[in-house]
C-alpha cells in the first residue's frame, strides 16, 4: 500500500494520533449502533415487553418525562444523537487529512472489499452493489422478523373463546392484531426514512454515502414505509367494516390513539407517494416537487396519531432532518454573487458564482439553486463543475435546457440583452467527505450528454493535483457521447473560466467523443461558433457563497448545534411536564390530551432547533463577514468606466486550449464500443465511473459485473442539471 503526501504540507506529527482517534470513534459509533440494532431486534420479543421494558420504565419514570417517554428517549433517541455527534468529531479530525493523503494501491484486504462492491442489476432495485443488496436484505429481514414475532405471539393468545368475549370472529381478531403490528413495523422503517435526505448530516458523511446512493435509499425506504402503512390502514378499514365499527374512522380520542389523525397522515402520504413514481415525476416534476411538502402533514399527524412516547422511536432521524433543514433555510436567505455565465451554442450555460476561499467541497458535489424571478418556491439540484482546489474563489454549475424552469433561466441569461444582475439563492454544496480516485491506475469515465458534468469537476481537481501539487495522477480516459456536434462545446468547459488557464502537460488525458446523430461534421451557423461570456454587475446585497457553520470547524459547530438543541428540548419539556402537565395528569396518561402533548413536544423541538441553529449560524456569519467585505471591496474597486454587463465572444478555435484539443478524438455516426474499451484495459486497478441515462449506466454496470472484469471497479455517479 503506497501513500503520497502533499509536498507543500509538512508531515503532521499528530497524523498517526488522529488516525487512531478516528478509528476509536468509528469503533465506538459502531458499538452504539450495534446496541441500537439489538433493541430493534428485541422489540417484538416476550422478554423485551415483559421484562426489559417494565424494568427500564420503572427506573426512568419521573415527574419530568412521565412514565414512558423517558425510557424511549434513553433507548431510541439518545443512541442516534450520540452517533451523529461522534460522526461530527470523526469528520472534523479527518477534514484536513483526506485531501492530502491518497491510497494509490489497494492491499489484499481492500481487494476483498472491492469484490463486495461489484455491481449487480436487480429488477425493482436497479444497479446495486453486493454490499447494498446484503444490507437491503438484512433490513427486510429485520422488518419480517418483527412482524412475524409479533403475530406469532399475538395469534397464540387468540382463540375462539377469547374472540367471542369481544364479540368477534377469530379472523377478525387476528386482522385487528395484524393491523396494529403492521403499524409498529412501519414505524421502524420510518425511523430510517429521513437519514438519507439530511443533506448536511454527519451520519450521511460518516457512512460515506453519495448523493446518488442517498436518493436511492430514500426511495427504497419511502416505498417500504408507504406499503406497510397503507396495509396498516386498509386492514383497519376492513376490520371496522366487518365488525360494524366504521364510525371508528372519525374518532379522535382524548388519550391514546387518534384514528382520524392517522388517516390524515396516511392520505397526505399517499398523495406524496403517488407522485414519486417515475412516469409521473418525469412528466410532472412541479407536481412531484410541491406535493413533497406534504411530508410536513404526514409526520405531524403521525405524531398526533401515535403520541410522542411512541413517536420517540422515529424522532431522532426527523430531529436531525429538522436541524439540517433549518440551517439550509438560513443559508438560502442570502443572495449569492453571480459573477459570470458562459453561454454555449448547445442550449447550455455555465454559471459562475463567487465563494469564500475557505469553502471546500469534493468533486461530484451538488448544490441546490433558487431564482426568485422564475419561481420563489422551486429549488433545483445541479452538479458542481468546478474544483475548490483549482478555483479557490469561484464555484460553477452547468445547466442544460430541460423542462420549464431551466428553459426560462437559459432564455434569461442567453438573451441578447441579459439582465445586469440576477438574484440567486443557494443551498450547499453537498457531497462526499473525500474521494479516492487516485487509488486507481486508470480512470475510465463514461458519460452520455450532460452526464459529462461531474467528470469536469473530477478532471479539474486532478489538474490541480498534477500541476500544482505535482502529485502523480492516474491515466484518464473520458468516453462521452453527444447527440449533435454542437454539444461538443461542453468539452470546452473542462478548463475553468477564471484564473490562468492550466496546462495539461502533466495530466495523461484522452477524450473519445462520439456524435451519434450526425454522420459527418456539419458547418454550424455563424453565431454557433462562439461561446459567449456574460458578466454580471455586483450588488451590495449579494455575498460570496459561504458554509452555513463556517469553514474550519463546521463539523464541531454542527455537533454543538445538535447537542445544544437536544439539551434545550429536554430541559424545556422537563420543566413543562413537571410544572404544567404532571399536576393535571399525575403520570396516568389518561387525563391530559395525548395529541396536545405531542403537539407541544413538536413545537418545543422546532423552537430548540431554531434557537441553537440560529445562534451558531449568526456567530459564524460574523466571523466570515471580514472576508466577504474584502471581496466586496475588490469588486467595488472596478473602474467605473467598465460596463456593468458585457458580452465577450470567443471563437472555439482561437482559445488557448491546444493541449486539450490534441487529446480529443471525435467520431461521427456511431456509438462507443464500451466492451472493447473496458475489456482491453489491462491495468491492475481501473476505476469505471459512469454518468448519464439509465440505459447507459446499466450497460456499463453489466460489463463491470462480468467475471472477465476483475480489475474494473464500478461507480455510478448522479448528476443534476
Amino acid at each position: 500500500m503506497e501513500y503520497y503526501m502533499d509536498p507543500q504540507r509538512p508531515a503532521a506529527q499528530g497524523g498517526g494520533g488522529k488516525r487512531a482517534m478516528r478509528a476509536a470513534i468509528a469503533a465506538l459509533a459502531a458499538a452504539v449502533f450495534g446496541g441500537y440494532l439489538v433493541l430493534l431486534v428485541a422489540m417484538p420479543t416476550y422478554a423485551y415487553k415483559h421484562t426489559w421494558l417494565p424494568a427500564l420504565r420503572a427506573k426512568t419514570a419521573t415527574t419530568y418525562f412521565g412514565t414512558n417517554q423517558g425510557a424511549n428517549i434513553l433507548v431510541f433517541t439518545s443512541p442516534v444523537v450520540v452517533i451523529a455527534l461522534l460522526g461530527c468529531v470523526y469528520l472534523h479530525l479527518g477534514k484536513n487529512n483526506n485531501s492530502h493523503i491518497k491510497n494509490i494501491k489497494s492491499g489484499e484486504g481492500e481487494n476483498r472489499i472491492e469484490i463486495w462492491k461489484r455491481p449487480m442489476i436487480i429488477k425493482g432495485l436497479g444497479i446495486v452493489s453486493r454490499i447494498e443488496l446484503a444490507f437491503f436484505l438484512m433490513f427486510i429481514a429485520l422488518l419480517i422478523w418483527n412482524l412475524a414475532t409479533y403475530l406469532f405471539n399475538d395469534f397464540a393468545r387468540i382463540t375462539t373463546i377469547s374472540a367471542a368475549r369481544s364479540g368477534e370472529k377469530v379472523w377478525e381478531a387476528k386482522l385487528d392484531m395484524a393491523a396494529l403490528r403492521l403499524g409498529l413495523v412501519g414505524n421502524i422503517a420510518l425511523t430510517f426514512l429521513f437519514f438519507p435526505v439530511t443533506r448536511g448530516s454527519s451520519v450521511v458523511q460518516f457512512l460515506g454515502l453519495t448523493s446518488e446512493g442517498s436518493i436511492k435509499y430514500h426511495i427504497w425506504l419511502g416505498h417500504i414505509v408507504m406499503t406497510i402503512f397503507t396495509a396498516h390502514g386498509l386492514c383497519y378499514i376492513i376490520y371496522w367494516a366487518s365488525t360494524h365499527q366504521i364510525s371508528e374512522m372519525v374518532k379522535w380520542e382524548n388519550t391514546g390513539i387518534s384514528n382520524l389523525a392517522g388517516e390524515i397522515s396516511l392520505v397526505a402520504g399517499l398523495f406524496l407517494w403517488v407522485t414519486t413514481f417515475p412516469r409521473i415525476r418525469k412528466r410532472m416534476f412541479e407536481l412531484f416537487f410541491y406535493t413533497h411538502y406534504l411530508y410536513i402533514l404526514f409526520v405531524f399527524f403521525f405524531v398526533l396519531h401515535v403520541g410522542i412516547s411512541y413517536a420517540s422511536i422515529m424522532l431522532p432521524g426527523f430531529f436531525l432532518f429538522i436541524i439540517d433543514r433549518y440551517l439550509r433555510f438560513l443559508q438560502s436567505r442570502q443572495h449569492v454573487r453571480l459573477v459570470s455565465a458562459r453561454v454555449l451554442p448547445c442550449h447550455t450555460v455555465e454559471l459562475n458564482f463567487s465563494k469564500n476561499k475557505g469553502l471546500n467541497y469534493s468533486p461530484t458535489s451538488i448544490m441546490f439553486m433558487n431564482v426568485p424571478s422564475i419561481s420563489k418556491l422551486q429549488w433545483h439540484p445541479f452538479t458542481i463543475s468546478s474544483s475548490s482546489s483549482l478555483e479557490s474563489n469561484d464555484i460553477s454549475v452547468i445547466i442544460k435546457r430541460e423542462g420549464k424552469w431551466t428553459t426560462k433561466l437559459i432564455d434569461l441569461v442567453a438573451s441578447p440583452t441579459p439582465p445586469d444582475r440576477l438574484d440567486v439563492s443557494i443551498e450547499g454544496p453537498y457531497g462526499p467527505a473525500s474521494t479516492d480516485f487516485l487509488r486507481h491506475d486508470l480512470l475510465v469515465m463514461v458519460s452520455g450528454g450532460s452526464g459529462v458534468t461531474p467528470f469536469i469537476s473530477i478532471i479539474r481537481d486532478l489538474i490541480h493535483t498534477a500541476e500544482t501539487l505535482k502529485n502523480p495522477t492516474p491515466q484518464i480516459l473520458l468516453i462521452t457521447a453527444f447527440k449533435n456536434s454542437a454539444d461538443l462545446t461542453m468539452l470546452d468547459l473542462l478548463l475553468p473560466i477564471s484564473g490562468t488557464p492550466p496546462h495539461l502537460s502533466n495530466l495523461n488525458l484522452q477524450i473519445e467523443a462520439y456524435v451519434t446523430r450526425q454522420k459527418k461534421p456539419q458547418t454550424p451557423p455563424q453565431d454557433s461558433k462562439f461561446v459567449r461570456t456574460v458578466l454580471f454587475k455586483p450588488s451590495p446585497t449579494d455575498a460570496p457563497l459561504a458554509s452555513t457553520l463556517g469553514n474550519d470547524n463546521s463539523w464541531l459547530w454542527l455537533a454543538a448545534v445538535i447537542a445544544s438543541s437536544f439539551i434545550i428540548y429536554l430541559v424545556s419539556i422537563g420543566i413543562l411536564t413537571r410544572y404544567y402537565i404532571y399536576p393535571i395528569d399525575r403520570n396516568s396518561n389518561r387525563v391530559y390530551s395525548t395529541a396536545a402533548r405531542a403537539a407541544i413536544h413538536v413545537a418545543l423541538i422546532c423552537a430548540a432547533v431554531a434557537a441553537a441553529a440560529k445562534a451558531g449560524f449568526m456567530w459564524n456569519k460574523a466571523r466570515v463577514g471580514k472576508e466577504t467585505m474584502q471581496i466586496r471591496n475588490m469588486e467595488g474597486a472596478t473602474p467605473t468606466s467598465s460596463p456593468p454587463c458585457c458580452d465577450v465572444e470567443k471563437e472555439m478555435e482561437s482559445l488557448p486550449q491546444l493541449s486539450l484539443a490534441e487529446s480529443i478524438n471525435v467520431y461521427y455516426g456511431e456509438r462507443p464500443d464500451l466492451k472493447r474499451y473496458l475489456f482491453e484495459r489491462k491495468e491492475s486497478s481501473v476505476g469505471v465511473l459512469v454518468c448519464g441515462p439509465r440505459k447507459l449506466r446499466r450497460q456499463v454496470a453489466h460489463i463491470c459485473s462480468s467475471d472477465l472484469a476483475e480489475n474494473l471497479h464500478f461507480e455510478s455517479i448522479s448528476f443534476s442539471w
Side-chain angles (χ1 to χ4, degrees), residues 143 146-147 150 181-190 228 310:
L143 300 182
N146 272 265
L147 181 60
Y150 275 131
R181 299 313 184 187
L182 281 169
L184 300 181
V185 174
N187 193 34
I188 296 176
L190 182 60
I228 296 175
Y310 186 69

Side-chain angles (χ1 to χ4, degrees), residues 402-714:
E402 294 285 346
K404 297 179 182 179
W405 193 91
T406 53
T407 297
K408 291 179 181 178
L409 177 61
I410 291 177
D411 288 345
L412 185 65
V413 174
S415 66
T417 55
D420 288 346
R421 59 178 300 275
L422 199 61
D423 288 334
V424 180
S425 297
I426 290 176
E427 293 179 359
Y430 307 106
S434 63
T435 55
D436 55 357
F437 300 125
L438 296 186
R439 68 190 178 93
H440 300 294
D441 301 310
L442 168 69
L443 281 179
V444 179
M445 306 176 184
V446 183
S447 70
S450 298
V452 73
T453 302
F455 298 148
I456 293 175
S457 175
I458 295 173
I459 291 174
R460 289 187 186 182
D461 204 64
L462 292 176
I463 289 174
H464 172 264
T465 302
E467 298 295 331
T468 305
L469 303 182
K470 305 301 182 182
N471 282 347
T473 58
Q475 303 176 54
I476 304 173
L477 174 60
L478 173 60
I479 306 170
T480 183
F482 299 109
K483 293 180 180 178
N484 304 299
S485 56
D487 295 330
L488 290 171
T489 55
M490 292 191 67
L491 298 177
D492 181 53
L493 303 180
L494 286 169
L495 301 180
I497 187 175
S498 60
T500 305
H503 297 285
L504 302 179
S505 56
N506 293 331
L507 191 68
N508 192 342
L509 172 65
Q510 182 63 42
I511 301 175
E512 304 289 297
Y514 289 79
V515 180
T516 59
R517 294 189 178 181
Q518 293 179 2
K519 297 295 184 181
K520 57 182 180 179
Q522 296 182 3
T523 303
Q526 185 64 27
D527 58 353
S528 296
K529 293 182 179 181
F530 299 99
V531 174
R532 282 200 306 148
T533 300
V534 181
L535 305 179
F536 292 95
K537 182 180 179 181
S539 170
T541 60
D542 296 340
L545 181 64
S547 175
T548 310
L549 294 175
N551 299 319
D552 298 330
N553 300 308
S554 58
W555 288 117
L556 294 183
W557 274 103
L558 180 59
V561 170
I562 293 173
S564 57
S565 58
F566 189 57
I567 293 172
I568 292 172
Y569 160 66
L570 292 179
V571 172
S572 301
I573 200 61
I575 294 174
L576 186 68
T577 302
R578 175 63 183 85
Y579 296 104
Y580 174 63
I581 298 178
Y582 177 75
I584 299 173
D585 192 79
R586 296 290 177 180
N587 279 353
S588 66
N589 295 322
R590 297 178 181 177
V591 179
Y592 196 84
S593 170
T594 301
R597 188 196 297 254
I600 290 173
H601 277 261
V602 172
L604 287 177
I605 289 173
C606 294
V609 168
K614 183 73 171 180
F617 176 79
M618 295 305 295
W619 181 279
N620 283 282
K621 185 177 181 180
R623 292 178 62 200
V624 301
K626 293 182 178 180
E627 183 178 346
T628 300
M629 187 60 64
Q630 290 175 356
I631 295 177
R632 285 177 175 172
N633 290 338
M634 291 174 62
E635 291 171 345
T638 303
T640 55
S641 59
S642 298
C645 175
C646 62
D647 291 351
V648 181
E649 293 189 348
K650 296 183 179 180
E651 190 170 358
M652 295 297 298
E653 289 78 2
S654 65
L655 289 174
Q657 298 180 323
L658 295 179
S659 58
L660 177 62
E662 291 174 355
S663 66
I664 301 176
N665 296 320
V666 182
Y667 308 90
Y668 290 88
E670 58 181 301
R671 297 182 181 275
D673 185 352
L674 297 178
K675 286 187 177 181
R676 177 179 62 82
Y677 275 117
L678 295 176
F679 284 152
E680 286 182 352
R681 308 310 307 195
K682 302 304 179 183
E683 290 83 358
S684 60
S685 178
V686 179
V688 181
L689 314 179
V690 59
C691 185
R694 176 184 177 186
K695 184 177 180 181
L696 175 65
R697 288 185 282 115
R698 286 181 172 241
Q699 181 184 2
V700 176
H702 180 72
I703 295 172
C704 293
S705 64
S706 170
D707 293 335
L708 301 176
E710 293 183 357
N711 63 330
L712 303 182
H713 306 288
F714 174 85

Side-chain angles (χ1 to χ4, degrees), residues 149-418:
T149 307
Y150 275 131
L151 296 182
F152 177 81
N153 294 333
D154 294 335
F155 286 1
R157 296 193 299 269
I158 298 175
T159 63
T160 305
I161 297 175
S162 65
R165 289 197 193 104
S166 304
E168 301 171 341
K169 299 176 183 178
V170 172
W171 74 268
E172 292 172 339
K174 290 184 176 181
L175 181 63
D176 179 26
M177 197 57 65
L180 172 64
R181 299 313 184 187
L182 281 169
L184 300 181
V185 174
N187 193 34
I188 296 176
L190 182 60
T191 301
F192 296 90
L193 179 64
F194 289 95
F195 285 115
V197 290
T198 307
R199 299 171 192 161
S201 168
S202 59
V203 177
V204 172
Q205 298 278 0
F206 180 55
L207 295 176
L209 298 184
T210 63
S211 174
E212 181 179 33
S214 297
I215 294 172
K216 178 168 59 179
Y217 306 148
H218 178 67
I219 292 173
W220 291 354
L221 289 166
H223 288 316
I224 292 171
V225 167
M226 289 312 305
T227 299
I228 296 175
F229 280 154
T230 301
H232 165 72
L234 288 176
C235 286
Y236 264 121
I237 292 174
I238 295 172
Y239 168 75
W240 289 330
S242 176
T243 57
H244 309 289
Q245 302 179 71
I246 203 68
S247 60
E248 289 286 331
M249 292 186 64
V250 295
K251 279 193 175 182
W252 192 308
E253 299 287 353
N254 184 59
T255 59
I257 300 297
S258 302
N259 294 337
L260 183 58
E263 288 149 13
I264 295 174
S265 174
L266 180 59
V267 170
L270 287 174
F271 273 113
L272 187 156
W273 189 27
V274 167
T275 61
T276 63
F277 288 93
R279 290 186 179 181
I280 297 177
R281 185 180 71 247
K282 292 179 180 178
R283 294 180 182 179
M284 296 178 284
F285 177 81
E286 291 186 0
L287 177 65
F288 159 78
F289 178 84
Y290 289 119
T291 54
H292 239 63
Y293 283 105
L294 290 173
Y295 79 86
I296 300 173
L297 293 179
F298 172 73
V299 173
F300 180 70
F301 281 98
F302 172 81
V303 175
L304 299 187
H305 171 57
V306 300
I308 191 62
S309 178
Y310 186 69
S312 296
I313 298 175
M314 58 76 59
L315 181 65
F318 192 64
F319 170 71
L320 296 177
F321 173 79
I322 292 176
I323 293 175
D324 179 72
R325 187 65 190 87
Y326 189 68
L327 287 173
R328 283 157 41 197
F329 167 74
L330 293 175
Q331 185 187 32
S332 67
R333 295 178 65 187
Q334 174 66 60
H335 288 157
V336 177
R337 162 83 165 98
L338 176 60
V339 179
S340 63
R342 280 199 282 185
V343 182
L344 276 62
C346 56
H347 305 295
T348 302
V349 298
E350 180 190 52
L351 299 182
N352 301 284
F353 299 91
S354 175
K355 78 171 185 68
N356 281 89
K357 193 170 185 178
L359 177 63
N360 296 316
Y361 51 88
S362 298
T364 73
S365 295
I366 65 171
M367 68 185 193
F368 288 73
M369 196 169 75
N370 170 263
V371 182
S373 60
I374 297 177
S375 173
K376 294 182 178 180
L377 296 178
Q378 287 192 38
W379 289 81
H380 290 259
F382 296 97
T383 302
I384 297 174
S385 58
S386 54
S387 165
S388 59
S389 301
L390 191 65
E391 303 146 273
S392 59
N393 296 315
D394 298 285
I395 187 169
S396 307
V397 294
I398 296 174
I399 303 174
K400 190 172 178 63
R401 187 195 299 268
E402 294 285 346
K404 297 179 182 179
W405 193 91
T406 53
T407 297
K408 291 179 181 178
L409 177 61
I410 291 177
D411 288 345
L412 185 65
V413 174
S415 66
T417 55

